[in-house]
Amino acid sequence: MRATRSVAQPGLRTRLKAIAVTAVLSLAFTSQAAAAVPTPPTISAASTAVQTLTGGKAGLAAGRIAMHTTPNDQGDNAILNMFQWTWNSIAAECTNVIGPAGFAYVQVSPPQEHIIGVLGAQGAPWWTSYQPVSYKVESKLGTRAEFATMVQTCRDAGVGIIADAVINHMTGQTEPGIGWAGTEYSEENYPGPEGGYGPQDFNECKTEISNYGDRHDVQNCRLVGLQDLATGSDYVQQEIADYLDDLASLGVAGYRIDAAKHMPATDLEAIKSKTTAAKNLYWVHEVIGSGGEPIQPVEYLGSGDSHEFNYGRTLQRAFNGRISTLQRLATNQDLLEGYRAGVFVDNHDTERNRETLSYHAGNKYLLANVFLFSYPYGSPSAYTGYEFEHANGGHDIGAPQDTVGKVLDAECSDGAFTCIHREPEIANMVGFYNDVRATGLNNWQTLDGGNVVGYGRGEQGFVVLNNTNASVNHTFTTSLPQGSYCNVIAARDLTDCDETFTVGADGSVDITAAAGKSVVLWTKHSTRTGDPVYANTTTTVYFHKYSGWAEAYLHHNASGGWTQAPGDQMSEVCEGWYAVTVPTTGPFVGVLTNGAGDWNNPMGGGNYNISGEHVTLSHGVAVDANPCGSTDSQNIVVYYRVNPAWTTHNIHYGHGIKGWTAVPGERMSPACEGWVRKTIATDGDELEFVFNNGGDTWDNPDGGGNYSTYGPVVAVDNKVMTEGNPCAGQEELPEEEEEPVIPEAPEYDTVRVFLAARDGWATHNLHYGAGSEWTAVPGTPMDVACEGWYGLEIDARTGLNGVFNNGAASNDGLEWLNTAGGGNFTFDAPVVAVATDLSVSQQDPCIDDDTPGSGGNDGSDGGGSGTGNGTDGNTNSGTGTGSSGSDTGGNSGTGNNSAGGGEGPDVTDNGAGVADDDVTDSSQSDQNNAQTDETDRGVAGDALTTDEDQDEAGELSKTGTTLTVFVLTLSAVLLAAGIAAIVAARRMHTTSQ
């Protein structure tokens, strides 16, 4: 969700986490490695149906209790997210397009009353929908009656309605106003009666969230100024429950819980328990998980499914890199279990902050949607909205509106709404998804360096994706029956096929895929002339054993009859993965068990459909993949030519969902004469990396940016990367295990940071942190300390550093001040002062050397030896009489030598700054190699963290285009000036929501 704190300020500071930019493109974006999602719990016997044996075949019913209902008899779960479409437009589209296509749900924008917003030349911003005034079902998208009609019309078309429920907060307005339905309100006063709240119904924290590493801060403070409801209160819970039940009375089929991360999972469970009808409907939570943060999507599975944002980020990396890495997507143990994961290519937030692909990406976006509906992981949600531009705040513009701000009905003919859901890559793929969803993934084939792939869905479908700029012809192996097949995405209308392909008796098919296009063959649209052919004589089945399982068994019917329970025992073949090889003459089915009564079944229950040489059963699906080795490198070995001036050689790297190592990275070990080495497990992901000396000296490729490779073995010498082992023919030393270094904590409690006033800066902010915990951009405002100086007291921490900025409300105006070398300032003393020329001292600039020292808070009067808490900071020998009581410093000196107010020790008062997570989630560069906001493959060494939550934040997020232009422009200026700066650990933070 997103909203802005004040209608009067549509340009509020972005939650895209402005980067603390120096303009030199010379270091990788850095971040702490992502924390793994906890291993799925053991499937208890209580949630597993009793096995039945019928006619020699074992049929195992659903292995998990269904967490939601579906609006049609088939149990299909494809969703279309129709952002800012009116109720009348959705009703018409359900009848004419959505229902016939086979979608099970439509997700609609929030239906409750909201703020009106400032009506600019193009109407009010879209995010007004995410600032509730009451729970009346009356909004710029339509009336209550129109909403009810839409629900019924879509139900008649076989489509359920999912309502976007904004229940974490109310508005971000501090001035009184009138809502869309006429409800008067003021700050923390909302009379309702639907959603009637007073000050006692909001959390005590009235400040913005500033530390996404602090659970309490995230779930009790204000998300970009939005007034945070006390969802732990019985009264608030019941108000929300009544609202959800009201929507249920209108016929909705489920809810998308906006900003769920900002409410404790137990609060949502309590709210659900207080409903009557709503508790029986589908719930999916917007929980934007970021590595290293304490709050993760898996926590919210007690009240419904959760969105898996890492899915969309992974697709962006792949389609901007190498799509062959997607083969093992469903085997990634850092993702949610597929049967609990809502997945998408993009949504209304991520298309604006560039955390994922969007319609702006053209063919790549359509290819990604074909993958979404053809790869067996998660419950897919396509997205359709309206056109916008990233430049000049265009991403905040609302959908087409009339003069009073009411959104106009969508017209696909005028180009304002994208209507991209009507394209065959989406509309025709929904039926394909519904038909093949019980099958596994088989016959994966990779061509053209990893950007052309083909894969099958059992004996029912085959897909080819060409993510290159040239046409590709290849003869693919399939499990399809012999016959003539229509390419179901060659045209919107399938009544008269525009393109056909012939599958031979051996299952082979010669396919030509145009540049940037796909081919999808589906048995439903074919003329069958023969039976499928099966070539394998054995199948090896893999499973990532649950931590609670002592053993793992495959119970199957590969030999025609079922094995005796519990089946064939599996043995560990690589870390965490168990396997068993069984003889077979064709496709077969099976289930997994621990031999002690717990079972693992596929999504939707039943048995896994298994075929092929290597099959991995993971996240409720069967995937043609070997998790212990594949055509893509599981490990990448990087060699680096020894730099004689360095005593330590580190590699700072990132890949996939794991994100980036903490600065300065990991130590490389000697390999052979003149070379050091590091082996990195990447699971086939692209590896991006830079080198440093364990300090502030970095080695990036010429032109800045990061080195990148898919491996398997590369060497870097004098900024040139080549493939191969430079130690070949020599005896190599064994790779050393890196000993963890535990830094010593500082002996002082606080740090007072001073900055000389900057010309043109009305505000001076400090953006600071240590490790993965940083303040949210733009950081914390500094106060005037004395003439010409600003100061801020912060808590002392190991590895504390930061940068300064002008606190501008948007990325466009945000100016950053880094060290002369382009890095972060280090705060490793009780006092750190940064002068106009960027020189750094440990002297308090606001205390003159000849000024008498002042006595401590509890010090004695006069010239005696005061023992109070003096905070002069410097060792000024006082000549006068120290005054008792308040002193001018801070709060923790101990005037040991106060002769006449004398010399107290250094000031160590250090304010309580809050930190935001420094996680580099999404790492993609766009097609023009311009760096996007959420890339962890950064150019300037900063850790662009996509606390994608920024998205939900409801703030006006500036996009990667602005950031990219800003970085590149500044880079050119500094480089022209001959500055070869290297940014060691700057951070870019996106508010997690």
Side-chain angles (χ1 to χ4, degrees), residues 746 748-752 768 770 792-798 800 827 908-914:
Y748 42 89
D749 295 326
T750 58
V751 176
R752 181 172 287 276
Y768 65 93
L792 182 67
E793 191 176 70
I794 59 180
D795 290 335
R797 277 180 279 168
T798 301
L800 186 65
F827 306 138
T908 60
D909 54 322
N910 160 310
V914 281

Side-chain angles (χ1 to χ4, degrees), residues 267-563:
D267 288 359
L268 285 170
E269 292 171 15
I271 291 168
K272 189 171 188 177
S273 71
K274 285 180 168 62
T275 66
T276 52
K279 67 178 62 175
N280 300 315
L281 304 179
Y282 173 64
W283 290 44
V284 61
H285 303 95
E286 184 199 24
V287 184
I288 304 177
S290 296
E293 291 187 357
I295 303 170
Q296 294 295 329
V298 71
E299 299 177 28
Y300 292 81
L301 302 183
S303 53
D305 292 350
S306 282
H307 280 138
E308 179 54 89
F309 278 76
N310 279 322
Y311 180 91
R313 298 168 187 156
T314 299
L315 261 58
Q316 178 169 255
R317 282 194 300 271
F319 281 95
N320 285 334
R322 195 166 70 172
I323 61 174
S324 60
T325 60
L326 295 172
Q327 178 181 2
R328 294 184 307 278
L329 177 63
T331 71
N332 192 316
Q333 299 305 299
D334 291 328
L335 296 175
L336 287 170
E337 283 271 26
Y339 81 108
R340 304 304 306 278
V343 297
F344 49 82
V345 176
D346 64 334
N347 67 18
H348 68 277
D349 283 325
T350 67
E351 73 165 345
R352 285 169 170 76
N353 65 26
R354 295 191 170 187
E355 184 181 345
T356 61
L357 295 169
S358 73
Y359 80 92
H360 289 103
N363 283 341
K364 288 181 182 290
Y365 181 71
L366 293 174
L367 286 173
N369 274 280
V370 172
F371 181 85
L372 173 74
F373 286 107
S374 61
Y375 186 91
Y377 174 79
S379 298
S381 178
Y383 173 79
T384 188
Y386 56 90
E387 295 189 354
F388 70 94
E389 295 299 328
H390 287 291
N392 302 316
H395 55 281
D396 295 316
I397 293 171
Q401 302 161 43
D402 64 16
T403 56
V404 298
K406 187 181 188 304
V407 174
L408 302 175
D409 290 339
E411 293 289 344
C412 290
S413 60
D414 66 12
F417 284 83
T418 67
C419 296
I420 202 163
H421 63 285
R422 292 186 175 184
E423 294 299 319
E425 287 87 349
I426 296 176
N428 293 355
M429 286 303 297
V430 178
F432 178 89
Y433 165 79
N434 291 336
D435 194 41
V436 306
R437 61 191 300 249
T439 67
L441 181 81
N442 60 0
N443 295 309
W444 184 282
Q445 294 145 79
T446 299
L447 311 173
D448 198 49
N451 265 316
V452 177
V453 300
Y455 54 90
R457 293 301 302 271
E459 300 172 359
Q460 294 173 249
F462 192 81
V463 178
V464 175
L465 304 178
N466 179 7
N467 190 41
T468 74
N469 295 321
S471 176
V472 172
N473 174 261
H474 183 73
T475 299
F476 290 90
T477 300
T478 80
S479 295
L480 296 175
Q482 181 181 7
S484 178
Y485 288 77
C486 178
N487 177 12
V488 298
I489 58 172
R492 296 185 183 184
D493 185 1
L494 293 176
T495 57
D496 185 15
C497 187
D498 286 5
E499 185 177 33
T500 60
F501 295 92
T502 300
V503 176
D506 61 352
S508 65
V509 55
D510 187 71
I511 291 178
T512 297
K517 297 295 184 178
S518 52
V519 172
V520 179
L521 309 182
W522 179 13
T523 52
K524 184 176 180 180
H525 293 273
S526 70
T527 301
R528 180 171 174 169
T529 59
D531 296 325
V533 175
Y534 192 82
N536 295 104
T537 58
T538 64
T539 296
T540 301
V541 179
Y542 301 84
F543 171 59
H544 196 279
K545 185 172 69 66
Y546 292 150
S547 60
W549 285 20
E551 305 289 347
Y553 297 84
L554 176 67
H555 183 44
H556 62 88
N557 69 347
S559 298
W562 279 84
T563 55

